[in-house]
């Protein structure tokens, strides 16, 4: 069984440093990242909807993101840049490599999510 992951979270994971909306959110996100990195061969399903990371996010309003339009745009841009489609299933390792190669190393991360409230963290790295 694959785990559902929002495509833009593939970028967030690579810059995450324990900051977030609340302690509950950061603890949860840190745990998810550690679990994914502990088994990089696990299969994830890329979906443009709330996922395992969103469970503890204060923007998650009963399964709907209060910033849905913005993060949907992030998700769609990540999919497009990586040559993927919503619903694709891929290993976490392969997805991480694609995001790094096609977005971060290609220098287009800020084009995708430069208006994110956490952008300052990514810009500094």
């Amino acid at each position: 069984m694959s785990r559902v992951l929002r495509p833009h979270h593939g970028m967030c994971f690579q810059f995450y440093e324990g900051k977030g909306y609340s302690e509950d959110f950061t603890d949860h996100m840190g745990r998810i990242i550690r679990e994914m990195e502990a088994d990089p061969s696990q299969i994830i399903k890329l979906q443009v909807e709330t996922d395992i990371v969103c469970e503890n996010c204060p923007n998650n309003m009963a399964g709907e993101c209060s910033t849905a339009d913005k993060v949907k745009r992030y998700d769609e841009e990540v999919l497009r840049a990586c040559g993927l489609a919503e619903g694709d299933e891929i290993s976490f390792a392969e997805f991480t490599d694609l995001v790094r190669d096609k977005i971060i190393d290609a220098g287009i991360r800020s084009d995708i999510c430069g208006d994110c409230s956490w952008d300052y963290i990514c810009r500094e790295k």
Side-chain angles (χ1 to χ4, degrees):
M1 182 172 153
S2 57
R3 296 176 94 175
V4 171
L5 191 70
R6 288 198 86 121
H8 84 268
H9 285 151
M11 292 186 300
C12 301
F13 284 8
Q14 296 190 41
F15 293 96
Y16 184 71
E17 59 180 38
K19 295 178 182 172
Y21 301 103
S22 66
E23 185 175 340
D24 187 41
F25 174 82
T26 57
D27 289 349
H28 177 73
M29 185 161 175
R31 182 176 53 78
I32 295 298
I33 292 170
R34 287 188 302 276
E35 288 173 5
M36 302 290 263
E37 289 175 345
D39 182 10
S41 65
Q42 71 183 287
I43 302 300
I44 56 171
K45 183 175 184 175
L46 299 169
Q47 291 292 135
V48 180
E49 62 184 36
T50 54
D51 66 2
I52 55 176
V53 173
C54 301
E55 290 174 12
N56 291 47
C57 180
N59 292 330
N60 183 351
M61 306 296 174
E64 295 295 323
C65 182
S66 64
T67 61
D69 290 341
K70 181 167 73 170
V71 295
K72 178 181 179 191
R73 177 174 39 90
Y74 297 167
D75 290 334
E76 290 171 347
E77 290 295 323
V78 168
L79 290 171
R80 187 174 8 268
C82 293
L84 298 167
E86 183 173 12
D88 280 354
E89 295 192 11
I90 186 173
S91 75
F92 178 68
E94 186 178 0
F95 180 57
T96 298
D97 289 345
L98 279 171
V99 168
R100 186 178 307 111
D101 294 343
K102 303 288 186 181
I103 298 172
I104 297 168
D105 291 348
I108 64 168
R109 187 216 45 90
S110 63
D111 296 337
I112 294 173
C113 60
D115 62 343
C116 171
S117 59
W118 304 106
D119 180 64
Y120 72 95
I121 293 172
C122 304
R123 255 185 292 122
E124 292 173 0
K125 293 188 175 187

